[in-house]
């Protein structure tokens, strides 16, 4: 086992010398104690790093912050997937040290999250202390990782247990242009009177991206309405996470409608929303029609206003003199050509007056 002097040498090493120290430490453990198939002779590298960083955490927090960029750079496979290491750091730093790490991230000196592992780390952070969670979210937001990468975390967040993550995610969502996947995850949250997350972000998107939001909601309503009810229940029961259902969408839309009642926002007068409500109303059961009667009434008004004028125009067109005149005309051009040719034949026939003249001339010649 390594003696105390060499362990202290590893702890106090600066960033550029970590690789040299790790190479020099390869003969610390006897081969019999090395895990099978381990590429290095350090044994379990992750365990060694955790033990050394834990010693830094307990002895000198400034040294821990100083070594963090080098540790994440030299051992990315071991650090970027470790929620334990991140928790070890955010548990002891203060606001000034947090700001220093954020600056390192934005300058490109430090990478603490990767797309393939960031979601799992943030899910692990839900059990941390409040300040630790805020630090983790601040460090995540300093990276240039698309928000859609971690949006599935919404299905793990409960409004009473995870206010830190919900508030950070809400403030970040308001900066984004909504995609269909974002809207789907937002609508997948259970509808509760005390949980204003979904209504808040939907209201904000209504003000900023109303047409895009309307198209996404229309698509989700039609997709969920076209699935058989039995298939929806089987799919939701087979998954531990909540699945988006038609009733959830309608409940969130009804809450949004009530929130926009006293505003000048005409989100529910858009054609895609009203068309989707008509589609759902035509196939849903009576219980849903009664429960969301006020919401469906918007679609009924739209249906009346969109179908009656064409009918009246058709009636007026059929009752006009021009239509009656057109109705008496021959049905096709062949009959017209036939009648015209018949009249031409009549014109070419000898007129009876000519025959009378011949007769009169004949009579006159006899008398003569």
């Amino acid at each position: 086992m390594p003696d105390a002097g060499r362990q202290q040498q590893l702890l106090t090493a600066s960033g550029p010398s970590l690789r040299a120290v790790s190479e020099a430490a390869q003969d610390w453990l006897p081969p019999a104690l090395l895990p099978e198939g381990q590429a290095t002779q350090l044994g379990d590298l992750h365990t060694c790093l955790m033990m050394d960083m834990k010693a830094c955490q307990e002895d000198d927090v400034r040294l821990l912050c100083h070594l963090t960029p080098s540790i994440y750079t030299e051992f990315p496979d071991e650090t970027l997937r470790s929620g334990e290491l991140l928790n070890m750091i955010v548990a002891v730093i203060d606001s000034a040290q947090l700001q220093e790490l954020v600056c390192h991230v934005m300058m490109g000196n430090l990478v603490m999250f990767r797309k393939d592992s960031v979601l799992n780390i943030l899910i692990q952070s839900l059990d941390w202390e409040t300040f630790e969670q805020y630090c983790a979210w601040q460090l995540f937001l300093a990276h240039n990782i698309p928000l859609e990468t971690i949006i599935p975390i919404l299905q793990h967040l409960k409004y009473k247990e995870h206010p830190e993550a919900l508030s950070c995610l809400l403030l970040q969502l308001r900066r984004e242009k909504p995609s269909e996947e974002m809207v789907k995850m937002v609508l997948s949250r259970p509808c509760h009177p005390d949980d204003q997350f979904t209504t808040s972000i939907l209201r904000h998107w209504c003000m900023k991206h109303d047409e895009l939001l309307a198209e996404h909601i229309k698509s989700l309503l039609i997709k969920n309405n076209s699935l058989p009810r039995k298939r929806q229940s089987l799919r939701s029961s087979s998954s531990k996470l909540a699945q988006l259902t038609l009733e959830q969408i309608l409940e969130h839309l009804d809450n949004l409608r009530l929130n926009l009642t006293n505003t000048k926002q005409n989100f529910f007068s858009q054609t895609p929303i009203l068309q989707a409500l008509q589609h759902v109303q035509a196939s849903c059961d009576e219980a849903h029609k009664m429960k969301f009667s006020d919401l469906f009434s918007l679609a009924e008004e739209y249906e009346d206003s969109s179908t009656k004028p064409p009918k009246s125009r058709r009636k007026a067109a059929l009752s006009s003199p021009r239509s009656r005149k057109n109705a008496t005309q021959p049905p096709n051009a062949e009959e017209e050509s036939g009648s015209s040719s018949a009249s031409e034949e009549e014109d070419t026939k000898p007129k009876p007056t000519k025959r009378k003249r011949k007769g009169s001339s004949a009579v006159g010649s006899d008398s003569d």
Side-chain angles (χ1 to χ4, degrees), residues 261-277:
T261 300
N262 297 325
T263 65
K264 297 181 180 180
Q265 176 59 238
N266 57 352
F267 176 75
F268 285 94
S269 63
Q270 296 184 89
T271 301
I273 293 293
L274 298 177
Q275 289 176 343
L277 291 176

Side-chain angles (χ1 to χ4, degrees), residues 53 93 98 147 179 207 220 233 258 323 327 339 346:
M53 296 299 281
I93 62 175
L98 170 64
L147 194 63
S179 64
M207 302 298 179
L220 292 172
S233 61
L258 294 174
S323 63
S339 60
E346 291 177 358

Side-chain angles (χ1 to χ4, degrees), residues 336-349:
E336 293 179 358
S337 60
S339 60
S340 61
S341 61
S343 61
E344 290 177 358
E345 291 177 358
E346 291 177 358
D347 293 339
T348 56
K349 291 180 180 179

Side-chain angles (χ1 to χ4, degrees), residues 120-180:
N120 291 332
I121 293 178
L122 289 178
I123 292 175
Q124 294 176 35
S125 71
L126 298 178
D127 297 327
W128 301 352
E129 297 295 332
T130 295
F131 183 73
E132 298 171 7
Q133 292 191 49
Y134 280 131
C135 289
W137 278 95
Q138 291 295 317
L139 291 170
F140 162 74
L141 295 177
H143 291 71
N144 190 24
I145 298 178
L147 194 63
E148 287 189 350
T149 306
I150 57 101
I151 198 66
I153 197 176
L154 268 176
Q155 296 184 323
H156 298 267
L157 303 182
K158 300 178 181 179
Y159 74 98
K160 286 185 176 181
E161 300 177 11
H162 309 117
E164 301 90 350
L166 283 171
S167 59
C168 292
L169 195 57
L170 180 62
L171 293 177
Q172 188 63 20
L173 279 172
R174 71 188 300 270
R175 302 172 181 269
E176 301 286 332
K177 181 181 293 186
S179 64
E180 184 171 338

